[in-house]
Amino acid sequence: MNLRPFVYYLLLAEAFAVTTFGLGWWSVPLVAAAWGLASRSPRKAAFASLAALGGWASLLLLDVTRGPVATMGSQLAGVMHLPAFALYALTLIFPALLAWCAASLMPTVRKTAQDSTAVPATPA
Amino acid sequence: MMRRAVAGIVLAILMVVGFRATGPVPPLGPFLDPANGVWAGAAATSFPSVQQVTIPGLHDSVHVLFDDRGVPHVFASSEDDAYRALGYVEARDRLFQMEAQTRAASGRLSEWAGDRLLETDRQNRALGLVWGAERKFAAYDRSSMGFKAITAYADGVNDYIAHMRPRDLPVEYRLLNALPMKWEPIYTMYFLSRMSLTLGFNDATVRRLKAEAMVGKDAADALFPVNSPIQQPIQPNGSSKARFDFSSLPAPGAPDSSVLAIARAREDLASSLAFRKPTETSDAIGSNNWAVSPKRTADGHALLAGDPHLDLTLPSVWYEMHIVVQGKLDVAGVGFPGVPGVVIGFNRNVAWTFTNTGSDVNDYYEERVDNDASPSMYKLDGAWKPVEKRIERYLDAKGKVIATDTLRFTHRGPMRRILGKWLSMRWTLYDPSHEPDNFMKLGYTKNANEWLDVMRDYVVPTQNGLVADRSGNIAIRSSGKYPIRPGDGRGDVIRDGSTSSSDWVGQLPVDKYPFAMNPAQGFLASANQQPVDPRKNSSYMGSDWYSPWRAMHINDLLRADSMVTPDDMRRFQTDPGSARADVFVPYFLAAAAKEDSAGRSDPLLRDAARLLSSWDKRYVRESHVAVLFEAAMNELATRTWDELRDKNKKPAPSDRLNYPEAQVLVELMRQPASEWWDDRSTPARETRDDILAASLRAAYQSVSKTDGDPKSDKWLWSNTRHANIFHLLRIPAFSALDIPVQGGPSTLAPSSGAGTQGPSWRMVVELGPEVKAWATYPGGQSGAPASPRYTDRLAKWTNGLLDQVLFPRTPSDLDRKRVVSTLTLVPQ
């Protein structure tokens, strides 16, 4: 059984969680972009997306253990006229989308960078 | 390629909504961030069990122990440190509330909400609240205890703001996409100005002027009399029961439309000053207090009950605290977040509380100006005087100026143009005063006399200060600055501003204030009624007083009990009995019986009378009859005071704002054939009993139509009258709504129709060898809506129960099992 993808997933999710904790939410697309550059996998965007979701889910779970998250959720849902689950879903979808987009764009960025740094062909 | 284009567009959109607010939605990134955003804020709703924080500039360590009621017990070695620590802990619990109140008072809400609250800001500044607070602050003695305390308190608030982690940001800031502002000492003065607007701005002339426009001056003066027709004064007058000083009400006179225009303009001004327009008259923002001498208590110790009624909000207007400065101060009770110290409370020797006096301390003057459109001079005693101008700028959330006003002031106060006339206002609020000093010094007093001395130079808002001490003394004095006007001395008229002979000529000396100490009756009580019997002291102090129903009822309860216990005091605070119902129910029943005996009755009236006669006149939640009585009282007022309504318009609930107090209706009861009883919409000439019977019949019909059978649950009082405690931003999800309460209009725990005002703090103190106290308020110590401490006191408050207040002398005296969190502030 190949555990490598699982370990990568954990490490990437952890990276999302740690950088969010230390830097803020905007670190999500940065980490995803870095992953997009480093990974050769054809499914790197989906992988980053799931890892970002997992990273934020773990932070959310940590919050649950430390305070009345459910009360907060139902109150905020009331303020925003949304069902409570929608807020939780939004909290998880938001980083997932950020990560997917950032990771998806990286091959293009890399290609553009390569194209701009490539030595032009000598005319015959 | 297409996929990448979509990714690029979506990423761009996400970054925008992540960083920027879109409409009412805050920036989603920092909001949803589970490490630093709103979810992480859930963890910040409870405090660590042990925490140490370094505070530069602190003189010594301060130990703050939070008990299981969320009350901080602050142990410090100096006052400076104590108030600094208090600033820190109040900010930790109530930062958003403190800032919201400050912004409301200083006219800076538009910096949060833009145009939506611009008009409110303009009105607050135009009223001179900011100008007055700044004058007070500038004149404040820098070496005084109060000034030092508000400065130390501000430092403490800023210490907390500096120590805040992103996750500590209160949820309201996140929703508003705002950050806390630095706390300045003057903010305390802004808040006190705002409180004076709530309690000390009494434009008694509006209702009287409107009545004058409809029925002439003589009738208006009788309907809105300077003196209460039912005398149950705060200063006991030697009578063992309320005295009814009734005179004959003159018949309605001819209308005067020119007065109506002035009245309407004044009314617009008055209602624009409130966040919400009132929909009915109500004494739910009144208050009760009473004290009993040792000779009438079961344990032989003086007892004191405090029960101030204010707007009910979440978080509560009050914050409970206990402050100990070794060898100097040991005081507990409640204060206003934003104002350092205990306002109502007790120490080891003395307990005290307040009710609002509601005296008339503001007057209007019609000014003559050089230029009606933009005056720069006003005439006084034949000479032109310069108008003081002040430019007010209003900013939006981005700091952009969205409006500018030029405010003008005479030597009296701010000027406003109303119906083409420039009126200036004089108000005791604008005078130099130092209420923070008064409140703070109360904590140091050792007996009732010392306490009264501290209150001698108290200015605004006028308060009925009640005190009891361990020696068994009880005393009450209506303290504050009472202006003396020239001429007839009345303040409910607009005076000529062109002469200084219209100005106030002085202030009432303290020995003329309503006052009593250790009266023979063995108790003292106040409930916003006229404070002194005009037969004893005829000085003008105000007009249009609340009907003294609550005062009558508490006096009855205290007279009937010569062995009062602390638990009796607690029970009295929510006693559902009503002196108003005691007076009016017999009139309704007699009128129905008269109709019956005259053969004019019908099944509806008979059923209504049968139901009303079964009522014990108590507004308990289980009552099926209170709803009928209230409907009948509304019908009665509508039918009786039809002369005070525009006859071309249908009656509306807001008409009640223009009706006289119910005590005047009782006065009219003594004139059964008065012209006032005639219903102008019918050809017949009605008498009192016709109107009473018709009101009862109509009430029964209307409630039956709405609520069905009288035995159904819909008739229950608990389904009719509720407390509605709104969050400061009026967000329903952060509010506690539709709470069934015991009590009705004019009971000791009065409930207004909207349910947004009522008992804001209930306290009972026994002044025995060791002072004991019991208390609660609607809400909880925390200002965080998700915190378990946000509404943890609500159930007890609803049921009229109190918690025993912990009052340890030292940190080690506090039962460890009841300490939930310890905060130590240490100097750097």
Side-chain angles (χ1 to χ4, degrees):
Chain A
M1 188 178 169
N2 185 3
L3 286 177
R4 186 177 292 177
F6 183 64
V7 172
Y8 279 172
Y9 176 81
L10 286 182
L11 287 174
L12 188 56
E14 182 70 12
F16 279 119
V18 168
T19 56
T20 299
F21 191 87
L23 299 175
W25 68 275
W26 49 267
S27 64
V28 170
L30 295 185
V31 172
W35 172 255
L37 284 173
S39 171
R40 300 278 170 186
S41 164
R43 283 180 293 187
K44 56 179 167 285
F47 195 82
S49 176
L50 284 174
L53 187 152
W56 275 38
S58 64
L59 289 173
L60 196 54
L61 279 174
L62 192 65
D63 291 333
V64 170
T65 64
R66 295 164 63 188
V69 165
T71 307
M72 182 81 91
S74 65
Q75 287 177 341
L76 288 172
V79 173
M80 296 176 170
H81 306 290
L82 293 170
F85 77 87
L87 264 183
Y88 298 114
L90 187 62
T91 304
L92 300 178
I93 290 167
F94 182 69
L97 266 178
L98 275 172
W100 181 84
C101 294
S104 294
L105 284 173
M106 279 309 103
T108 310
V109 172
R110 184 166 50 194
K111 188 166 183 300
T112 308
Q114 281 171 350
D115 289 350
S116 64
T117 55
V119 179
T122 309
Chain B
M1 194 62 201
M2 175 63 91
R3 198 180 80 161
R4 286 174 190 159
V6 169
I9 292 166
V10 173
L11 183 61
I13 292 171
L14 289 174
M15 294 306 278
V16 169
V17 298
F19 276 114
R20 294 188 55 178
T22 37
V25 181
L28 286 183
F31 187 78
L32 296 174
D33 177 347
N36 305 292
V38 70
W39 301 116
T45 59
S46 54
F47 301 144
S49 54
V50 178
Q51 188 181 13
Q52 182 167 309
V53 177
T54 303
I55 303 283
L58 207 64
H59 300 113
D60 203 348
S61 295
V62 181
H63 299 281
V64 187
L65 281 66
F66 290 83
D67 68 27
D68 51 9
R69 296 175 60 242
V71 178
H73 300 263
V74 178
F75 294 91
S77 52
S78 72
E79 281 98 335
D80 267 7
D81 284 355
Y83 291 119
R84 190 159 180 170
L86 185 66
Y88 189 97
V89 300
E90 283 195 0
R92 194 163 78 151
D93 264 331
R94 300 285 187 89
L95 184 61
F96 176 77
Q97 175 189 20
M98 289 161 61
E99 182 167 340
Q101 290 173 166
T102 299
R103 287 186 176 279
S106 58
R108 290 179 61 191
L109 288 167
S110 55
E111 290 171 26
W112 274 350
D115 288 342
R116 278 178 293 161
L117 290 175
L118 178 61
E119 207 43 44
T120 305
D121 284 348
R122 287 185 134 153
Q123 296 293 353
N124 275 324
R125 294 202 207 177
L127 189 67
L129 291 182
V130 178
W131 175 77
E134 287 175 5
R135 276 161 54 107
K136 264 188 216 293
F137 189 73
Y140 214 123
D141 177 2
R142 266 43 186 171
S143 64
S144 66
M145 176 189 289
F147 191 86
K148 286 180 183 167
I150 60 178
T151 307
Y153 180 86
D155 289 341
V157 175
N158 291 324
D159 289 334
Y160 174 71
I161 293 171
H163 278 93
M164 276 174 75
R165 300 160 298 177
R167 68 175 63 174
D168 296 327
L169 189 68
V171 65
E172 295 93 338
Y173 285 105
R174 295 182 192 279
L175 293 170
L176 291 166
N177 190 27
L179 288 172
M181 62 180 177
K182 185 179 176 228
W183 190 265
E184 302 289 348
I186 196 175
Y187 294 172
T188 295
M189 307 309 283
Y190 288 150
F191 176 81
L192 290 172
S193 286
R194 179 75 200 176
M195 194 45 79
S196 293
L197 174 66
T198 305
L199 299 174
F201 184 81
N202 184 5
D203 197 353
T205 56
V206 173
R207 284 202 294 170
R208 205 179 59 75
L209 277 174
K210 286 178 85 173
E212 187 178 330
M214 307 292 257
V215 294
K217 188 172 185 310
D218 289 349
D221 281 346
L223 296 179
F224 299 97
V226 169
N227 293 315
S228 185
I230 304 177
Q231 283 297 324
Q232 176 80 79
I234 293 169
Q235 176 182 306
N237 59 359
S239 174
S240 61
K241 57 181 182 178
R243 189 182 75 238
F244 290 64
D245 274 350
F246 290 158
S247 55
S248 185
L249 289 181
D256 180 347
S257 57
S258 63
V259 180
L260 183 62
I262 297 171
R264 288 213 169 121
R266 299 279 299 282
E267 185 181 41
D268 287 347
L269 170 63
S271 57
S272 68
L273 295 171
F275 286 114
R276 306 180 295 281
K277 289 192 177 182
T279 53
E280 62 182 302
T281 54
S282 160
D283 62 355
I285 206 161
S287 306
N288 310 315
N289 63 26
W290 61 88
V292 186
S293 288
K295 63 184 179 187
R296 291 184 69 86
T297 63
D299 288 340
H301 309 309
L303 292 171
L304 175 138
D307 186 13
H309 302 166
L310 287 167
D311 281 326
L312 301 177
T313 58
L314 283 174
S316 164
V317 67
W318 298 110
Y319 186 76
E320 191 177 340
M321 69 194 84
H322 174 205
I323 303 170
V324 181
V325 179
Q326 290 160 16
K328 289 184 179 172
L329 179 68
D330 192 347
V331 62
V334 283
F336 300 115
V339 179
V342 168
V343 173
I344 292 177
F346 54 92
N347 61 23
R348 298 281 164 199
N349 297 296
V350 180
W352 64 92
T353 182
F354 299 99
T355 62
N356 197 34
T357 309
S359 52
D360 184 0
V361 293
N362 54 302
D363 285 347
Y364 289 94
Y365 300 83
E366 187 177 336
E367 304 289 357
R368 286 173 60 193
V369 296
D370 60 336
N371 177 348
D372 199 47
S374 176
S376 57
M377 310 280 269
Y378 68 104
K379 192 156 254 186
L380 187 71
D381 298 331
W384 289 105
K385 299 268 180 189
V387 168
E388 179 191 336
K389 291 184 185 174
R390 178 183 160 108
I391 308 295
E392 296 285 349
R393 290 186 179 81
Y394 305 88
L395 310 179
D396 68 5
K398 291 175 184 159
K400 188 179 134 204
V401 176
I402 52 173
T404 305
D405 284 336
T406 302
L407 302 187
R408 294 175 169 82
F409 301 84
T410 69
H411 68 287
R412 300 181 174 107
M415 299 169 75
R416 292 172 74 96
R417 192 160 188 261
I418 295 172
L419 283 182
K421 292 177 177 173
W422 282 94
L423 298 182
S424 70
M425 188 169 75
R426 178 91 165 87
W427 187 8
T428 51
L429 175 68
Y430 305 140
D431 296 345
S433 62
H434 46 250
E435 287 77 23
D437 267 84
N438 294 112
F439 292 134
M440 248 163 255
K441 287 177 183 170
L442 296 178
Y444 293 83
T445 58
K446 295 187 177 65
N447 54 53
N449 279 317
E450 283 187 17
W451 191 93
L452 291 164
D453 276 348
V454 168
M455 289 298 287
R456 283 182 78 84
D457 63 353
Y458 173 83
V459 173
V460 66
T462 51
Q463 295 288 295
N464 305 311
L466 177 72
V467 58
D469 68 24
R470 269 198 318 129
S471 304
N473 297 305
I474 59 170
I476 193 164
R477 188 167 63 203
S478 304
S479 294
K481 183 173 179 176
Y482 301 93
I484 299 175
R485 284 98 172 172
D488 64 3
R490 286 179 65 165
D492 54 349
V493 289
I494 298 174
R495 291 180 180 269
D496 175 11
S498 68
T499 167
S500 57
S501 62
S502 298
D503 284 335
W504 294 350
V505 294
Q507 67 181 88
L508 212 60
V510 176
D511 60 6
K512 294 274 187 193
Y513 290 4
F515 170 73
M517 188 164 189
N518 301 327
Q521 66 185 22
F523 62 85
L524 289 164
S526 82
N528 317 105
Q529 76 271 39
Q530 186 170 5
V532 66
D533 189 335
R535 291 185 190 172
K536 303 271 179 189
N537 179 350
S538 59
S539 308
Y540 174 84
M541 303 184 83
S543 62
D544 196 14
W545 304 97
Y546 281 154
S547 298
W549 308 124
R550 284 180 287 118
M552 288 162 71
H553 192 60
I554 190 60
N555 272 268
D556 285 347
L557 289 171
L558 292 172
R559 267 187 216 109
D561 189 346
S562 57
M563 295 283 280
V564 183
T565 65
D567 198 52
D568 292 334
M569 303 280 274
R570 174 196 65 76
R571 246 179 338 97
F572 293 165
Q573 288 179 328
T574 51
D575 189 280
S578 162
R580 172 171 161 269
D582 290 342
V583 166
F584 281 98
V585 167
Y587 281 112
F588 280 114
L589 294 177
K594 193 174 161 192
E595 287 287 290
D596 210 13
S597 61
R600 292 194 298 265
S601 192
D602 53 64
L604 269 181
L605 184 58
R606 273 195 288 272
D607 286 350
R610 198 176 303 121
L611 191 60
L612 189 61
S613 66
S614 71
W615 189 36
D616 59 3
K617 306 185 204 73
R618 294 169 74 78
Y619 290 79
V620 292
R621 282 173 279 207
E622 303 75 28
S623 172
H624 281 251
V625 192
V627 63
L628 171 67
F629 176 68
E630 283 309 313
M633 287 299 290
N634 285 338
E635 286 284 344
L636 179 63
T638 303
R639 286 160 193 261
T640 307
W641 304 125
D642 56 331
E643 293 82 358
L644 300 177
R645 253 190 346 258
D646 186 341
K647 59 183 170 190
N648 299 317
K649 287 185 185 166
K650 280 189 172 179
S654 59
D655 292 334
R656 286 178 219 144
L657 287 169
N658 304 325
Y659 298 157
E661 282 285 325
Q663 57 184 334
V664 177
L665 198 51
V666 185
E667 197 172 16
L668 187 61
M669 290 286 179
R670 306 292 174 100
Q671 297 169 251
S674 166
E675 203 178 311
W676 287 100
W677 293 114
D678 183 34
D679 182 347
R680 291 177 306 163
S681 64
T682 67
R685 164 80 188 252
E686 286 84 2
T687 64
R688 176 194 69 187
D689 291 338
D690 295 333
I691 294 296
L692 280 162
S695 299
L696 183 57
R697 183 188 293 111
Y700 186 78
Q701 197 166 21
S702 135
V703 182
S704 299
K705 193 175 167 190
T706 319
D707 296 340
D709 188 273
K711 290 189 183 111
S712 84
D713 283 353
K714 284 191 172 176
W715 281 61
L716 282 173
W717 187 242
S718 58
N719 284 331
T720 308
R721 202 54 78 102
H722 298 130
N724 289 303
I725 310 177
F726 278 95
H727 179 263
L728 290 170
L729 297 179
R730 292 187 79 77
I731 296 172
F734 294 165
S735 307
L737 306 178
D738 299 328
I739 304 164
V741 287
Q742 174 163 289
S746 301
T747 61
L748 288 174
S751 58
S752 67
T756 54
Q757 298 165 339
S760 62
W761 163 248
R762 292 191 184 120
M763 174 181 83
V764 172
V765 187
E766 184 182 50
L767 284 303
E770 284 292 320
V771 173
K772 289 182 192 163
W774 299 262
T776 198
Y777 63 71
Q781 289 284 88
S782 172
S787 168
R789 295 180 301 113
Y790 184 63
T791 52
D792 59 345
R793 298 175 171 205
L794 209 46
K796 282 195 172 173
W797 175 84
T798 305
N799 293 308
L801 302 173
L802 305 176
D803 290 316
Q804 180 152 13
V805 175
L806 300 179
F807 195 35
R809 289 174 187 272
T810 65
S812 56
D813 285 348
L814 192 54
D815 181 355
R816 288 287 127 181
K817 288 180 198 148
R818 299 199 60 182
V819 178
V820 295
S821 174
T822 303
L823 169 70
T824 307
L825 303 177
V826 294
Q828 198 165 33

